[in-house]
Amino acid sequence: MSEFVQSFMQNLKAKNPSQPEFIQAVQEVIESLAPVIERHPEYIECKLLERIVIPERTMIFRVPWLDDAGKVQVNTGYRVEFNSAIGPFKGGLRFHPTVNLGILKFLGFEQVFKNSLTTLPMGGGKGGSDFDPKGKSDNEVMKFCQSFMNELFRYIGPDTDVPAGDIGVGGREIGFLFGQYKKLANEFTGVLTGKGLAWGGSLIRPEATGYGTTYFAREMLKTRGESLKGKVATVSGSGNVAQYAVQKITELGGKVVTLSDSDGSIYDSKGIDAEKLAFVMNLKNVKRGRIKEYADKYSCEFLAGKRPWGVKCDVAFPCATQNEVDVNDANALVKNGCKCVSEGANMPSTPEAVDVFLKAKILFGPGKAANAGGVATSGLEMSQNSLRLSWTREEVDQRLDGIMCAIHTQCANAMDEYKCKDNYVMAANIAGFKKIADAMMAQGLV
Ligand code: NDP
Ligand code: 2IT
């Protein structure tokens, strides 16, 4: 079987040059699926794996806009519609200067399996642009979003493709995007998720990814008779996912001692309590400042240019970006006694780091399981939009918690069935894949 994986990957690399993140994401999934393929030779005959790694459709388009000085700016926009076997394409939009086709293909590919794990009927997709929102005025962000939607609106729709937020795309951007979609399509529909509460958004959607990642850690710890109570946690990032992870970890009795952004990390040994978190939320969501200002305000350590993984902790939550935990970080975490890693970000650990966690037999929740709460709650927003109803905070939170528990159970069942105890990576890939594979087989060659 490893011969199959090897030649499959060789072919994939040849066909997708300069897309290392996409290759990395596929390699992990294909390696995990070896025992499934052995039981299902029909998948090979139908070239299911060869098909699953090619997006159903990819759009790349020009996004011209005028900045505040009246000068012309231009960016590249993308939407990768990866797989619609189990529902409309669904997945976020990322605005960050590092965005390119390979990054969005990795994210779209991961999204297919993640969305399958949520138990909800959603296919997978991802999009975005190399536009950098940092340092831009609200007016410039609006101009960009409107121009981006002028092209994107042809491809999306509430039953076709439903984008949402990701890095650099939060409530403000979703508002501008939704307004322009509505104008162009002349329709008020649930075409985007992460909307404001007054115009079709769902309670708990902003909180959902951070909360879900924490619920998943709680479920993993439970299998070893442990909980988050009294645990020291490191969190990276300081955006949407990180902020609500801090809130929920603290609520469940943990103490969060770090946050970060691309300039470095803060280390607050006293813990980031509710008041300090409110400061972070205002700093990041309103003032759009840098995390160093936290260290200045609360007189704690700022680790310039550093990630937080050298800080001693019991539980770690990478919530910033891909490949932010390398093999040295993983070794440091394990050496310092970290028992559990729950990935709020997408693919934050390098393959070598993942190997370290698996060999050390610590609890390691891969992003496609551990951060699925965000898209799951987007699915709940879609349901509420279709029903033209809004559920209460408690109702959405309960459903989110239930979905995270269901994802954990699917992983545990796959571990039993495929004899891969403690390996949430293999288990999540297998459980996510099976539903997609069955749907693709049933729908024929499309
Ligand atoms: P935000 O834009 O709100 O925050 C991103 C945070 O990560 C910021 O603190 C940012 O710092 C930091 N960051 C981003 N890129 C880098 C980089 N290259 N190096 C170092 N730090 C970086 O995004 P989210 O919180 O929404 O997303 C965080 C992660 O979670 C991403 O991997 C995303 O794909 C994933 N995710 C998000 C979901 C959601 O619902 N939003 C759902 C599931 C996963 P700086 O400001 O300096 O750039
Ligand atoms: O990576 C992700 O799951 C997201 N950015 C959320 C996608 C969504 O459609 O809510």
Side-chain angles (χ1 to χ4, degrees):
M1 189 48 65
S2 77
E3 243 171 71
F4 171 80
V5 172
Q6 233 175 0
S7 87
F8 185 91
M9 290 310 301
Q10 232 166 24
N11 198 22
L12 190 81
K13 280 179 201 163
K15 288 195 170 141
N16 299 274
S18 315
Q19 296 184 358
E21 294 86 2
F22 176 57
I23 302 294
Q24 181 184 334
V26 174
Q27 173 122 17
E28 183 205 278
V29 171
I30 300 294
E31 280 175 1
S32 293
L33 293 180
V36 183
I37 302 303
E38 255 164 38
R39 285 190 203 177
H40 295 277
E42 70 274 19
Y43 292 165
I44 299 272
E45 254 158 64
C46 287
K47 289 210 164 38
L48 199 77
L49 296 180
E50 286 86 343
R51 284 156 58 199
I52 216 167
V53 296
I54 302 178
E56 285 182 32
R57 190 181 300 122
T58 302
M59 276 70 66
I60 306 183
F61 49 93
R62 180 202 300 154
V63 188
W65 55 282
L66 281 182
D67 67 17
D68 287 348
K71 276 173 70 181
V72 175
Q73 302 286 342
V74 60
N75 290 96
T76 306
Y78 304 84
R79 186 71 184 166
V80 181
E81 295 185 337
F82 224 112
N83 195 304
S84 65
I86 63 168
F89 303 105
K90 179 82 195 91
L93 298 170
R94 176 176 291 191
F95 293 169
H96 195 272
T98 56
V99 162
N100 58 41
L101 183 59
I103 294 272
L104 295 177
K105 279 173 67 185
F106 121 62
L107 288 163
F109 185 73
E110 292 272 299
Q111 199 81 46
V112 173
F113 302 93
K114 183 198 304 193
N115 293 5
S116 164
L117 283 169
T118 65
T119 72
L120 302 175
M122 297 182 289
K126 203 85 186 188
S129 174
D130 57 359
F131 173 74
D132 185 359
K134 278 203 196 88
K136 303 289 191 300
S137 69
D138 287 349
N139 184 54
E140 288 175 325
V141 171
M142 181 180 76
K143 291 274 183 57
F144 173 80
C145 287
Q146 291 177 338
S147 180
F148 183 82
M149 187 53 84
N150 283 346
E151 182 60 27
L152 185 69
F153 95 101
R154 304 168 208 291
Y155 313 113
I156 62 176
D159 298 313
T160 311
D161 183 353
V162 184
D166 193 78
I167 291 177
V169 178
R172 174 182 61 168
E173 291 74 18
I174 294 293
F176 295 145
L177 291 163
F178 183 76
Q180 190 68 0
Y181 179 86
K182 186 160 59 70
K183 187 176 174 71
L184 292 165
N186 193 28
E187 265 180 15
F188 193 114
T189 58
V191 68
L192 291 155
T193 58
K195 299 186 290 300
L197 284 181
W199 37 282
S202 173
L203 286 159
I204 300 289
R205 176 62 189 88
E207 292 88 338
T209 313
Y211 279 18
T213 303
T214 311
Y215 294 148
F216 198 79
R218 182 199 62 201
E219 290 308 296
M220 290 196 290
L221 286 164
K222 221 186 257 173
T223 64
R224 298 197 178 166
E226 298 210 44
S227 77
L228 280 163
K229 205 161 174 30
K231 298 267 189 309
V232 172
T234 48
V235 173
S236 66
S238 47
N240 173 263
V241 180
Q243 291 169 15
Y244 288 103
V246 172
Q247 190 171 83
K248 189 52 80 177
I249 295 162
T250 311
E251 219 178 282
L252 298 186
K255 179 169 82 165
V256 180
V257 295
T258 67
L259 280 172
S260 69
D261 63 20
S262 51
D263 295 338
S265 306
I266 58 109
Y267 172 41
D268 183 350
S269 59
K270 295 197 196 92
I272 302 166
D273 61 19
E275 184 223 308
K276 292 171 179 173
L277 178 60
F279 171 83
V280 173
M281 287 181 169
N282 186 54
L283 175 70
K284 286 290 171 183
N285 310 344
V286 182
K287 284 175 63 195
R288 301 185 189 271
R290 309 305 300 157
I291 200 65
K292 182 178 183 301
E293 294 169 52
Y294 178 105
D296 299 339
K297 169 137 175 103
Y298 295 108
S299 309
C300 72
E301 221 176 314
F302 180 64
L303 312 163
K306 291 221 168 98
R307 305 189 284 229
W309 313 125
V311 172
K312 188 172 162 52
C313 67
D314 304 306
V315 195
F317 292 85
C319 296
T321 193
Q322 64 274 357
N323 293 328
E324 56 160 321
V325 183
D326 67 17
V327 67
N328 296 327
D329 298 323
N331 279 320
L333 281 164
V334 170
K335 190 168 144 264
N336 282 333
C338 177
K339 298 182 182 75
C340 173
V341 176
S342 192
E343 293 188 331
N346 284 306
M347 205 169 76
S349 308
T350 64
E352 297 77 22
V354 174
D355 281 347
V356 170
F357 296 142
L358 294 179
K359 281 207 184 93
K361 297 221 173 286
I362 69 163
L363 297 163
F364 173 69
K368 62 170 80 69
N371 74 35
V375 73
T377 308
S378 279
L380 300 177
E381 183 171 328
M382 289 165 71
S383 303
Q384 292 168 81
N385 290 165
S386 299
L387 292 166
R388 298 189 191 280
L389 281 176
S390 347
W391 297 329
T392 63
R393 225 182 152 72
E394 290 68 32
E395 171 140 25
V396 181
D397 194 25
Q398 256 171 32
R399 284 180 190 264
L400 165 64
D401 199 346
I403 289 171
M404 296 317 294
C405 292
I407 295 173
H408 188 271
T409 303
Q410 290 175 71
C411 289
N413 290 344
M415 282 180 204
D416 281 348
E417 194 180 339
Y418 285 90
K419 309 271 169 286
C420 55
K421 189 168 177 296
D422 293 329
N423 190 336
Y424 286 89
V425 176
M426 241 179 109
N429 286 331
I430 291 173
F433 172 76
K434 278 170 81 180
K435 202 165 133 188
I436 307 288
D438 290 344
M440 285 177 74
M441 293 296 282
Q443 291 170 26
L445 285 181
V446 287

